[in-house]
């Protein structure tokens, strides 16, 4: 989405609050990944995400945002983003499902997404997931003081297109903070960015979120006014992290290593 409302630089203290918001998001996504298997509905996933978010002291961020009717976005196969959870949507063996979740904690937003296989998936889908996640990490590597938004875009796009996939143009990453969507926009493609895209500054926090299609980059919105699908109905993947620009380099706020055993206190 791209309803930007200004660039807001964050203090170290604010970044730590955002870390907490994003840790809630990371834990919700980690839990969803565990429960995903054939037969589970996206409605069930929505309910679990809501419960876990509340248990961790957060408020689901997407519910009611421009009228969005759920807490989770769950987008299956050819659905790119903003799939609305439903009792009728049952995950099947071989599906891929993109899970996008946001949480508010102490006035700050966390935002992240993963794409998860349901059971065993076919080789090309596996490649799509791998390349999309790698593209996100390549983008994050560029999230350094003094670099530009275009450096992120270029790193993402090059990795995706070298693998023979395409990046979505219609939707982009964004600044994140006390608003879900702040400036700057963070596209995953360089076309139109020119030589002077926004410079990355200390204290910026951005959500980098490549949406990668197996076929055409073109997408359309379904009649429900939310679900974005690929025009050719080929599969799509989505990975997202919220990343702070710091003197020590990129700080991935939405990273969670389940082995570390950290806690988020209420
Ligand atoms: N993570 C998405 C984004 O960055 C989800 C927002 S969609 C809505 O734009 F459901 F909140 F509207
Ligand atoms: Co986002």
């Amino acid at each position: 989405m791209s309803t930007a409302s200004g660039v807001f630089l964050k203090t170290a203290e604010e970044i730590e609050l955002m870390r907490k918001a994003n840790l809630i998001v990371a834990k919700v996504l980690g839990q969803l990944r565990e429960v995903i298997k054939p037969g589970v509905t996206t409605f069930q996933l929505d309910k679990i995400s809501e419960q876990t978010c509340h248990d961790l002291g957060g408020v689901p961020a997407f519910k009611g945002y421009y009228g969005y009717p759920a807490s989770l976005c769950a987008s299956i196969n050819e659905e790119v983003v903003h799939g609305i959870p439903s009792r009728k949507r049952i995950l099947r063996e071989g599906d891929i499902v993109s899970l996008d979740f946001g949480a508010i904690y102490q006035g700050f937003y966390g935002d992240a997404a993963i794409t998860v296989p349901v059971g065993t998936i076919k080789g090309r889908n596996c490649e799509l997931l791998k390349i999309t996640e790698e593209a996100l990490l390549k983008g994050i590597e560029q999230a350094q003081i003094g670099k530009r938004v275009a450096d992120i875009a270029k790193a993402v796009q090059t990795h995706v297109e070298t693998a023979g996939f395409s990046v979505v143009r219609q939707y982009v990453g964004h600044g994140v903070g006390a608003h879900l969507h702040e400036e700057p926009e963070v596209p995953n493609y360089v076309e139109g960015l020119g030589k002077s895209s926004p410079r990355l500054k200390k204290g910026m926090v951005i959500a980098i979120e490549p949406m990668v299609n197996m076929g055409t980059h073109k997408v359309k919105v379904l009649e429900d006014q939310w679900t974005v699908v690929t025009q050719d109905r080929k599969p799509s993947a989505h990975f997202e992290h919220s990343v702070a620009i710091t003197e020590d380099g990129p700080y991935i706020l939405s990273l969670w290593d389940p082995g570390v055993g950290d806690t988020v206190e209420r």
Side-chain angles (χ1 to χ4, degrees), residues 62-137:
F62 298 165
K63 199 166 213 171
Y65 191 79
Y66 289 92
Y68 186 71
S71 295
L72 180 73
C73 297
S75 312
I76 305 171
N77 298 333
E78 76 281 3
E79 296 172 354
V80 180
V81 286
H82 305 166
I84 302 172
S86 161
R87 286 187 173 87
K88 293 184 195 141
R89 299 308 303 277
I90 305 164
L91 296 177
R92 296 203 170 82
E93 178 87 22
D95 284 344
I96 57 171
V97 57
S98 299
L99 306 169
D100 190 347
F101 190 76
I104 309 170
Y105 180 80
Q106 305 244 325
F108 285 95
Y109 283 79
D111 187 11
I114 55 175
T115 302
V116 179
V118 182
T120 308
I121 59 174
K122 62 176 190 217
R124 197 71 182 139
N125 272 346
C126 205
E127 184 74 1
L128 180 69
L129 265 51
K130 177 171 162 280
I131 293 293
T132 308
E133 189 167 20
E134 284 173 0
L136 169 59
L137 297 177

Side-chain angles (χ1 to χ4, degrees), residues 195-245:
K195 285 204 174 67
S196 58
S197 73
R199 188 78 80 175
L200 300 174
K201 296 196 181 95
K202 178 185 168 180
M204 280 174 67
V205 182
I206 53 176
I208 306 176
E209 49 177 317
M211 289 146 269
V212 175
N213 296 352
M214 194 172 287
T216 178
H217 70 80
K218 291 189 181 154
V219 300
K220 64 172 224 171
V221 180
L222 295 184
E223 259 111 73
D224 65 14
Q225 302 298 322
W226 281 102
T227 313
V228 178
V229 297
T230 56
Q231 271 191 14
D232 58 11
R233 300 298 203 269
K234 289 184 180 172
S236 182
H238 180 209
F239 283 85
E240 174 178 24
H241 272 308
S242 293
V243 181
I245 315 293

Side-chain angles (χ1 to χ4, degrees), residues 247-258:
E247 267 160 357
D248 305 322
Y251 176 12
I252 308 177
L253 302 177
S254 44
L255 204 58
W256 179 46
D257 179 348

